[in-house]
Amino acid sequence: MTAFTLTSFNARWGLTVDDEPFDLSAVVAGFDTDLICLQELWEPTDGGSGLDRTAAELGYHLVHVPLSPSFVVPQPEITPDPSAATGTWGVALLSRLPIRSTRIVDLGRIVERWDVAHRRAILAEIAVGGTTFTATALHLSFALPNALAQLRRLDGYLPTHRASVVAGDCNLWGPLAAGALHGHRRAVRGRTWPAARPHSQLDHILVSPSVHVRSAEVLPPAGSDHRPVRAHLEIR
């Protein structure tokens, strides 16, 4: 069987819009999908997030990549100054499927002063049902020129000979996001931000032609200011 499930969620430091913590570990457990892509993942300097322990308990292999130094007091922010940080802010991929290899790629910035984060993507070769596909977890810049350039740069890293799935907070509307990746289309269509009364879809699962979408949906609010997106996919 070459079917699998995937969820993508911007966790906003594990904080609500009122900067109150929510139980991210319980949220991750509730997704119960083969792959989970997380953005704005907060990892304190003391390693107290507990996500690695949760991943292990749930049978996930965790790949975590910090994108920026960060702090959460007096409010959550990223910073270019490591001396001001009390942790990191980044992206993660959790997989219950075998990971054959991983690659971290730098997506670059064309307007640096608008975004202090180093936008990197996780590219993982995932085995399912006797075949292999590329899963990419990312969080693009909030600056539109940067986000578009980053997706176009990612396009050069994606394989043309195997299935590809790209998931994360793209900070772009669907047509722009899909148009920046050659041959990819949107698996999920629905508003994701802001979570309470969403008016825009910034969170996407983009799939190549050989990926069949069995079902896809925007999930109810899970704690942060973004709603999660989930898809049931099959490699053809």
Side-chain angles (χ1 to χ4, degrees), residues 66-91:
L67 302 184
S68 175
S70 181
F71 53 81
V72 293
V73 177
Q75 66 278 322
E77 296 283 353
I78 59 176
T79 174
D81 181 9
S83 67
T86 56
T88 61
W89 175 95
V91 298

Side-chain angles (χ1 to χ4, degrees), residues 4-9 33 35-37 39 133 135-136 138 164-170 172 174 177-178 181 184-190 192 201-208 211-213 215-219 227-233:
F4 62 96
T5 51
L6 181 151
T7 303
S8 180
F9 179 48
T33 49
L35 299 174
I36 300 174
C37 300
Q39 306 90 50
F133 69 97
T136 301
L138 51 67
S164 167
V165 178
V166 177
D169 178 358
C170 295
L172 293 168
L181 287 181
H184 284 63
R185 67 192 189 282
R186 299 156 65 189
V188 182
R189 293 173 183 256
T192 64
Q201 182 176 5
L202 304 180
D203 306 271
H204 299 287
I205 299 173
L206 307 171
V207 299
S208 64
V211 180
H212 171 64
V213 181
S215 63
E217 62 185 325
V218 177
L219 297 176
R227 295 190 179 197
V229 289
R230 178 172 63 195
H232 187 185
L233 306 173

Side-chain angles (χ1 to χ4, degrees), residues 24-230:
L24 180 58
S25 292
V27 170
V28 167
F31 289 151
D32 191 29
T33 49
D34 297 311
L35 299 174
I36 300 174
C37 300
L38 298 175
Q39 306 90 50
E40 297 196 5
L41 179 63
W42 163 248
E43 182 66 28
T45 302
D46 63 7
S49 74
L51 184 61
D52 53 348
R53 182 175 62 254
T54 298
E57 291 172 352
L58 296 172
Y60 286 101
H61 178 74
L62 171 66
V63 183
H64 172 220
V65 178
L67 302 184
S68 175
S70 181
F71 53 81
V72 293
V73 177
Q75 66 278 322
E77 296 283 353
I78 59 176
T79 174
D81 181 9
S83 67
T86 56
T88 61
W89 175 95
V91 298
L93 173 67
L94 292 81
S95 177
R96 292 192 301 211
L97 299 172
I99 298 179
R100 300 303 189 201
S101 64
T102 58
R103 183 183 183 190
I104 311 302
V105 300
D106 188 347
L107 299 180
R109 293 174 289 184
I110 59 173
V111 187
E112 184 169 346
R113 71 179 183 276
W114 287 356
D115 188 356
V116 302
H118 293 276
R119 305 289 175 164
R120 303 180 181 95
I122 302 168
L123 276 70
E125 303 305 316
I126 307 290
V128 60
T131 189
T132 303
F133 69 97
T134 300
T136 301
L138 51 67
H139 184 193
L140 301 181
S141 175
F142 55 81
L144 178 60
N146 284 351
L148 281 171
Q150 287 158 1
L151 263 189
R152 289 173 181 143
R153 184 167 186 174
L154 173 67
D155 193 45
Y157 291 114
L158 297 179
T160 58
H161 59 288
R162 70 165 62 100
S164 167
V165 178
V166 177
D169 178 358
C170 295
N171 276 310
L172 293 168
W173 294 284
L176 285 174
L181 287 181
H182 177 74
H184 284 63
R185 67 192 189 282
R186 299 156 65 189
V188 182
R189 293 173 183 256
R191 300 170 182 177
T192 64
W193 183 87
R197 299 183 66 181
H199 55 66
S200 299
Q201 182 176 5
L202 304 180
D203 306 271
H204 299 287
I205 299 173
L206 307 171
V207 299
S208 64
S210 59
V211 180
H212 171 64
V213 181
R214 288 188 168 188
S215 63
E217 62 185 325
V218 177
L219 297 176
S224 84
D225 59 340
H226 288 246
R227 295 190 179 197
V229 289
R230 178 172 63 195

